[in-house]
Amino acid sequence: MIIARAPFRVSFCGGGSDIPSFYQKHGGCVISTSIRKYMYLTINPAFNKDTITLKYSKTEVVSDPQKIEHRIFRQVLSDFGTKGIEITSMADIPSGTGLGSSSSFTVALLKLLYAYNEQSVSNYKVAKEACEIEINRLGNPIGKQDQFAAAYGGLRYYEFLPDGFVKVEPIIMTSQARRHLEESMMLFYTGLDHDANKILGEQSKNLASAEEKIEATKRLCEMTRQLKSEFESNNVDALGPILAKSWEIKRELARGISNPFIDEHYRRGIEAGATGGKLLGAGGGGFLLFFVPEKEKRADVRAALSDLIEMPTELDQSGVSIIFTE
């Protein structure tokens, strides 16, 4: 048995600039951090060497990988051609919550199969192949940040060059500043489902032709570079205002990114003491992130959002990894 683990991520700024229709013309950049919530995949030799057994929200048993219903499983297992295996997936957080779960799944699956086939693979190669699978082969209208965040982990700055290369830089700050960042982040689950592909599909089209959307995303990139500089100067409190401004911009990039329920809860969090916040992921649902630097205000924010589920957050330093072999 082998177990692979990939973290979920919280994206601070720059989302949308990692979509091909934008970065191929203008370049893009994102700052995100992985958190201590994970996607787990296990693999074990099957009793029947001619079958593939998959256990996720349902169970599939097939002899031909092309007959697998799960799109990512079907594509990856068809590419590898590995049979006589049983794979099980588990996650700390439900899918569709804006924390990059789909890409964490793809990255963990690739790492797992490389390990099972006794092949070494770099984090960059795993991330690059996950992008190829999700964006090009499966045709999902998504960007590249989630795959790289799952592969590398930690607090990092990602730059997406027009030629497709991704520069990955760790953000260095003092342990005190990192602890303040971790303590000031508050995540609340809205409980709303969302169709990320629909929202991102519209956003991708807008970024290909709508000049005002393009200029707005360029401003997001400028703010991302500013945040990088602030973080590296240990000015973590700069995150709040940057989150607030970036959310104002992001919610105008496509229909469905926000809605009255999200707007109301965002207003409550800000009025209770958060200096900034945003909805994580493509929009429409999932987790609301707030930055609350004053310790005494956190109870007020918690009370103002008592109808939502709060998820305690810790920063993660590791990317995708094999955590068990037997």
Side-chain angles (χ1 to χ4, degrees):
M1 176 183 287
I2 302 173
I3 303 176
R5 183 184 77 179
F8 293 115
R9 64 96 185 100
V10 168
S11 179
F12 291 132
C13 194
S17 71
D18 62 322
I19 294 175
S21 60
F22 182 84
Y23 77 72
Q24 288 175 354
K25 294 180 180 179
H26 312 285
C29 56
V30 168
I31 290 177
S32 69
T33 183
S34 54
I35 58 174
R36 289 182 179 173
K37 299 293 181 182
Y38 306 98
M39 174 69 68
Y40 299 90
L41 285 169
T42 70
I43 189 169
N44 202 50
F47 179 77
N48 188 335
K49 301 306 179 185
D50 295 321
T51 63
I52 298 171
T53 300
L54 307 173
K55 297 178 181 179
Y56 49 105
S57 57
K58 63 183 295 183
T59 298
E60 295 191 58
V61 182
V62 301
S63 56
D64 181 357
Q66 289 295 323
K67 295 181 179 179
I68 296 172
E69 294 180 23
H70 191 289
R71 296 174 73 234
I72 298 174
F73 267 136
R74 181 174 65 244
Q75 183 63 61
V76 175
L77 288 169
S78 295
D79 291 344
F80 274 82
T82 306
K83 289 187 176 182
I85 54 174
E86 179 176 316
I87 301 178
T88 302
S89 74
M90 296 164 285
D92 290 331
I93 301 173
S95 61
T97 53
L99 299 178
S101 59
S102 176
S103 296
S104 293
F105 177 92
T106 308
V107 165
L109 179 59
L110 288 167
K111 184 76 170 181
L112 186 75
L113 287 167
Y114 273 113
Y116 187 79
N117 287 285
E118 300 180 347
Q119 294 177 276
S120 177
V121 61
S122 68
N123 287 352
Y124 193 94
K125 183 176 181 180
V126 167
K128 182 179 178 181
E129 290 188 3
C131 291
E132 172 67 21
I133 289 163
E134 293 192 89
I135 299 171
N136 298 328
R137 299 192 191 181
L138 297 180
N140 295 331
I142 61 175
K144 286 185 170 183
Q145 65 158 314
D146 292 353
Q147 298 87 349
F148 278 83
Y152 280 90
L155 176 62
R156 296 182 185 270
Y157 170 82
Y158 301 93
E159 187 168 355
F160 307 97
L161 303 184
D163 64 1
F165 185 78
V166 180
K167 292 174 63 178
V168 183
E169 297 182 35
I171 292 180
I172 308 300
M173 61 174 65
T174 65
S175 58
Q176 182 180 1
R178 185 178 296 274
R179 184 164 55 252
H180 179 54
L181 172 62
E182 183 176 70
E183 292 172 350
S184 301
M185 291 169 56
M186 300 184 73
L187 268 69
F188 295 89
Y189 181 48
T190 65
L192 301 178
D193 294 328
H194 71 292
D195 187 346
N197 284 347
K198 182 178 180 180
I199 296 170
L200 288 170
E202 180 183 342
Q203 188 174 346
S204 180
K205 290 180 182 178
N206 290 341
L207 291 176
S209 58
E211 192 61 35
E212 72 277 9
K213 311 296 185 184
I214 294 171
E215 290 304 314
T217 305
K218 287 182 179 179
R219 291 199 299 275
L220 288 177
C221 287
E222 292 171 2
M223 293 165 63
T224 303
R225 296 184 183 99
Q226 177 190 349
L227 181 60
K228 178 177 183 288
S229 177
E230 298 287 3
F231 273 172
E232 291 176 338
S233 299
N234 299 305
N235 183 19
V236 173
D237 287 348
L239 176 60
I242 288 176
L243 282 178
K245 183 60 178 177
S246 67
W247 173 239
E248 289 178 17
I249 295 172
K250 180 180 177 180
R251 64 198 305 276
E252 301 300 325
L253 293 178
R255 291 170 297 177
I257 286 180
S258 190
N259 57 50
F261 181 90
I262 292 168
D263 289 343
E264 169 62 19
H265 285 81
Y266 182 83
R267 180 190 64 79
R268 289 188 205 173
I270 297 298
E271 291 182 355
T275 58
K278 61 173 288 191
L279 189 71
L280 297 175
F287 279 91
L288 273 167
L289 165 69
F290 289 100
F291 185 77
V292 191
E294 296 183 45
K295 185 177 181 180
E296 59 272 15
K297 294 287 188 181
R298 293 167 196 161
D300 296 336
V301 173
R302 194 169 287 117
L305 300 170
S306 59
D307 58 324
L308 303 183
I309 299 173
E310 182 183 3
M311 183 180 73
T313 305
E314 293 181 90
L315 303 186
D316 175 81
Q317 294 292 340
S318 62
V320 65
S321 55
I322 300 300
I323 61 171
F324 179 83
T325 60
E326 184 178 50

